């Protein structure tokens, strides 16, 4: 009886041992499976991140190319704008609607108060016109008389004992400011029997000063064209 009890206990111990061994193997197998599956998942995630990173790098390269193109276009546009602004500024100078400064002459014309024949005063407007014509022919870029900027509609005409310039009345002395090459301008009006000689022969005092910074103010009147319009290219009389 005692031997049977010992045998039963031994069998139970063996059975329990086998169960323990089987349980341990099962745990090992499950752990290995879990680790393998997890590693596969991580590898897939890493691969996905690498692909996403490549995609983002490609997008970044595309954006950098677009930015370079935009900057190039902007630089080109900026050059065009600067060119147009320069052209507009030149047109404003030619139109006389902006102040300008540069080398040129300051010419003062006055009467000889001690020996002046009033009957000759009517010639002053013609002499001023002759002076302006000679200066323009010599390359004048801007001219003013007593602060009145001369433009293409400016008049210089006798009005009684005054001279009208841009519809404003002026009397002597006249200060003529002109921008251009000082030597060319001076030579043009001081030539023998030229406009300065004629003025002096008509008892007008003329002084000429060459200066590096002559300021010619902008035209202060209103420019209003009622009839002249830009030609459309067709239907305009030639």
């Amino acid at each position: 009886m005692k031997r049977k009890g010992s045998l039963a206990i031994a069998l139970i111990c063996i059975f329990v041992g086998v169960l323990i061994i089987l349980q341990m193997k099962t745990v090992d197998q499950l752990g290995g499976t879990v680790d393998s599956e997890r590693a596969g998942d991580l590898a897939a995630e890493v691969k996905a991140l690498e692909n996403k990173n490549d995609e983002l790098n490609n997008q970044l390269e595309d954006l950098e190319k677009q930015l370079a193109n935009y900057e190039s276009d902007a630089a080109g546009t900026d050059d065009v704008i600067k060119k147009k602004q320069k052209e507009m500024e030149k047109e404003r100078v030619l139109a006389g609607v902006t102040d300008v400064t540069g080398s040129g002459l300051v010419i003062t014309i006055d009467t000889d108060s001690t020996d002046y024949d009033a009957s000759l005063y009517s010639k002053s407007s013609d002499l001023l016109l002759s002076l302006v014509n000679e200066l323009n022919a010599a390359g004048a870029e801007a001219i003013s008389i007593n602060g009145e900027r001369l433009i293409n509609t400016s008049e210089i005409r006798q009005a009684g004992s005054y001279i009208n310039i841009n519809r404003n009345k002026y009397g002597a002395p006249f200060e003529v400011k002109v921008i251009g090459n000082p030597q060319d301008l001076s030579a043009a009006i001081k030539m023998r029997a030229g406009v300065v000689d004629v003025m002096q022969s008509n008892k007008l005092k003329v002084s000429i000063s060459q200066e590096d910074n002559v300021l010619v103010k902008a035209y202060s009147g209103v420019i209003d064209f009622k009839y002249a319009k830009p030609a459309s290219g067709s239907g305009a009389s030639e």
Side-chain angles (χ1 to χ4, degrees), residues 34-51:
V34 171
D35 290 342
S36 177
E37 291 177 354
R38 181 58 179 162
D41 292 341
L42 290 174
E45 291 179 6
V46 170
K47 184 63 177 177
L49 290 174
E50 289 177 348
N51 292 336

Side-chain angles (χ1 to χ4, degrees), residues 58-102:
N58 291 333
Q59 291 180 3
L60 178 60
E61 290 179 2
D62 291 339
L63 291 173
E64 288 177 343
K65 290 179 181 178
Q66 291 180 25
L67 178 60
N69 291 334
Y70 291 150
E71 289 176 344
S72 177
D73 292 342
T77 302
D78 189 52
D79 290 340
V80 171
I81 292 174
K82 288 181 179 179
K83 183 178 179 180
K84 291 297 182 183
Q85 288 176 336
K86 189 174 182 179
E87 291 176 355
M88 289 179 63
E89 188 62 28
K90 182 179 179 180
E91 294 298 327
R92 287 173 59 84
V93 171
L94 292 174
V97 294
T98 185
D99 295 352
V100 289
T101 184

Side-chain angles (χ1 to χ4, degrees), residues 102-159:
S103 59
L105 304 179
V106 176
I107 307 166
T108 303
I109 304 166
D110 200 359
T111 61
D112 187 346
S113 58
T114 60
D115 185 18
Y116 178 69
D117 186 351
S119 64
L120 297 176
Y121 194 87
S122 61
K123 295 183 179 181
S124 297
S125 60
D126 292 335
L127 293 174
L128 281 175
L129 279 172
S130 296
L131 176 66
V132 170
N133 287 337
E134 291 297 334
L135 292 172
N136 281 328
E141 297 178 358
I143 302 174
S144 69
I145 301 177
N146 285 11
E148 293 286 348
R149 178 73 167 271
L150 300 186
I151 62 174
N152 62 334
T153 59
S154 295
E155 85 286 1
I156 300 175
R157 59 187 296 271
Q158 191 71 32

Side-chain angles (χ1 to χ4, degrees), residues 24-38:
M24 291 178 65
K25 288 184 177 181
T26 301
V27 171
D28 289 340
Q29 290 175 355
L30 288 174
T33 302
V34 171
D35 290 342
S36 177
E37 291 177 354
R38 181 58 179 162

